[in-house]
Amino acid sequence: MVPTTKKELRKLVTDATLDMYEELTPELVRLINETKKDVSLTEAQKQDEILLHIIGYVKSCTNEIIIEVLGEILGLE
């Protein structure tokens, strides 16, 4: 679908966003759980690692959303 209005573009981006966050969330949860269980890290280090996981998650989601939406608009496979 090639959006012809901002409203259609907004829906396309919103749908891609919801799908991508839902798809990548289990990986984030796994990383956070592994970090929490890592006895070699202090609590402060665990928090730092978890923050890095979250930043990476948001970055990955953003990149994939852009790729999905542009791919849809440009008709790429």
Side-chain angles (χ1 to χ4, degrees):
M1 171 190 122
V2 177
T4 57
T5 65
K6 283 185 180 180
K7 183 177 181 177
E8 289 175 353
L9 179 59
R10 187 173 289 110
K11 180 174 178 5
L12 184 61
V13 171
T14 299
D15 291 347
T17 300
L18 293 174
D19 290 345
M20 198 52 55
Y21 275 78
E22 187 174 291
E23 181 179 323
L24 296 178
T25 296
E27 178 67 12
L28 175 63
V29 170
R30 185 188 65 74
L31 289 170
I32 289 172
N33 286 336
E34 285 178 8
T35 301
K36 285 180 178 180
K37 294 175 185 174
D38 190 341
V39 294
S40 69
L41 299 174
T42 66
E43 285 305 313
Q45 289 171 323
K46 288 178 184 181
Q47 291 305 312
D48 289 346
E49 285 292 316
I50 289 171
L51 182 59
L52 289 174
H53 294 324
I54 293 170
I55 291 168
Y57 167 76
V58 171
K59 180 190 169 293
S60 294
C61 288
T62 301
N63 287 347
E64 290 300 318
I65 291 162
I66 291 168
I67 291 166
E68 286 296 317
V69 170
L70 286 176
E72 179 77 22
I73 290 170
L74 298 173
L76 304 175
E77 292 185 26

